[in-house]
Amino acid sequence: MGTKKFKLLKSEKINHNGHTLYRIQALKDFSDVKKGDVGGWVEKEENLSHKGNCWIYNSAKAYDDSKVFEDAKIMDYAEVFGQARVSGQSLIQNHARVFDGAIVTCRSFLRDYSYACGEARLLGNVELTDSAMMCGNSCVHGNIIARDKVVICGNVEIWDRAIFLGDAYISRKTDYYCGCEFMDNGYPFTYTRSNDMWQNINTYGTREDFLKTLNKIVPYKVPFYTKVMDFVEDLLNDSNCSTHQA
C-alpha cells in the first residue's frame, strides 16, 4: 500500500450512532493538507484511502463500511456511511449525507442538507444542494443540477445536461423533459411534470410565468420556448409517449 498518509488518534474518540469514531491526523503533506493537520472522524482506516488526495475535514465523518478515495473531500458536518462510495474529485459538505449503497464520483457536489442514498449513482458533474435527494436505483450522468426539494428516485436514469428545481419528483422518464437552447451557450432547460414547472439556469415558473420573465430579460428567446412548450404539451397528450427527454 505504500506510505500511510494519516493515522487514527486513539486518544480522541467519540460515539456516533452506535459507532466509535476516531479523529484522523495527517502524516505527510498532500493537496491542501499539511503533516500534523487534524482532520475529521473515521471508524477505521479502511474508511479513507491512503492513496490520492482524499481527505475528511472539520467535523465530517465516514463510518460503517463506507469508503472515501481518490481525490474526494468530505467537509464540515457531512457524513458518509453504510456501504457508500465517494471518489473522483467529489465534494460533500455542510450537512450532506451519502449512505446505504450510494456511489458518488467524478466531480459530483453535495451540500446543505442534500442526500444520496439507496443504490443511487451520481456519475459526472452532478450538483445536489439545499434538500435535494437521490435515492432508489436512480442514476444521473453528465452535468445535472438538482436544488431545493427535488427528489430523484426509482429506476430513472438521466443523461447529459439538465436542471431540476422546486419540489419536482422524478421517478421515471415520463416525469420530465429536458433539452438545450439553440442559441447563446446552449443552456439546458427542463420541464417537470409533477409540479408543472419550467426551469433553466435563470428562470423558474409555470409556462405563463416563465415566458413573462423571459420576455423581460431575453425577449428574443420567447419564440423558441413557446414552440418547445407546445411540443411538450403535445407529448403529454400523446398516450404513446414513452420519454420526455431530448
Side-chain angles (χ1 to χ4, degrees):
M1 182 173 62
T3 306
K4 291 186 176 183
K5 70 180 184 185
F6 70 92
K7 66 178 180 179
L8 307 186
L9 295 177
K10 296 295 186 178
S11 61
E12 292 192 44
K13 61 183 180 180
I14 58 173
N15 184 280
H16 181 73
N17 291 340
H19 298 265
T20 300
L21 308 185
Y22 301 91
R23 182 77 79 175
I24 57 174
Q25 183 175 39
L27 298 175
K28 62 180 181 179
D29 296 350
F30 59 94
S31 185
D32 59 347
V33 179
K34 302 299 181 184
K35 181 178 179 180
D37 282 357
V38 172
W41 302 87
V42 300
E43 184 172 6
K44 51 194 174 186
E45 283 194 21
E46 290 78 8
N47 294 133
L48 177 66
S49 176
H50 286 282
K51 298 180 180 179
N53 291 318
C54 55
W55 191 240
I56 300 172
Y57 298 76
N58 315 117
S59 296
K61 301 173 181 67
Y63 53 99
D64 277 335
D65 292 319
S66 65
K67 182 80 172 181
V68 178
F69 56 106
E70 295 180 346
D71 296 324
K73 296 183 177 182
I74 317 299
M75 308 180 75
D76 304 319
Y77 297 95
E79 294 188 19
V80 181
F81 54 99
Q83 303 287 330
R85 298 291 184 266
V86 181
S87 62
Q89 293 180 303
S90 297
L91 173 61
I92 317 298
Q93 64 179 168
N94 302 135
H95 294 271
R97 301 285 187 268
V98 182
F99 57 101
D100 293 333
I103 296 174
V104 178
T105 189
C106 298
R107 293 177 180 268
S108 296
F109 175 40
L110 279 74
R111 70 179 183 191
D112 303 320
Y113 289 88
S114 59
Y115 282 12
C117 57
E119 301 300 320
R121 290 167 290 160
L122 288 71
L123 314 173
N125 297 318
V126 183
E127 178 185 320
L128 250 61
T129 60
D130 301 314
S131 297
M133 176 186 292
M134 276 191 62
C135 54
N137 292 305
S138 58
C139 180
V140 293
H141 310 253
N143 299 293
I144 310 297
I145 296 173
R147 297 175 179 166
D148 304 324
K149 297 180 180 179
V150 169
V151 175
I152 300 174
C153 62
N155 295 311
V156 70
E157 190 167 3
I158 303 172
W159 293 78
D160 201 14
R161 296 200 294 171
I163 179 169
F164 299 99
L165 305 174
D167 58 352
Y169 184 87
I170 313 294
S171 64
R172 54 185 180 174
K173 288 184 177 181
T174 50
D175 287 338
Y176 69 97
Y177 176 95
C178 64
C180 292
E181 298 177 356
F182 294 108
M183 69 270 298
D184 297 338
N185 294 314
Y187 291 121
F189 62 85
T190 309
Y191 169 77
T192 46
R193 195 172 190 175
S194 63
N195 55 3
D196 194 26
M197 290 289 185
W198 288 85
Q199 50 242 276
N200 64 16
I201 199 67
N202 297 312
T203 312
Y204 173 77
T206 62
R207 172 177 176 143
E208 181 180 359
D209 292 339
F210 188 91
L211 291 176
K212 281 183 178 179
T213 302
L214 284 182
N215 196 47
K216 291 179 181 178
I217 58 177
V218 281
Y220 64 91
K221 293 186 178 182
V222 172
F224 167 78
Y225 274 102
T226 300
K227 290 182 179 179
V228 169
M229 290 172 171
D230 289 341
F231 172 71
V232 172
E233 286 181 359
D234 288 340
L235 282 179
L236 292 175
N237 292 325
D238 183 355
S239 60
N240 295 319
C241 173
S242 61
T243 178
H244 293 163
Q245 186 174 15

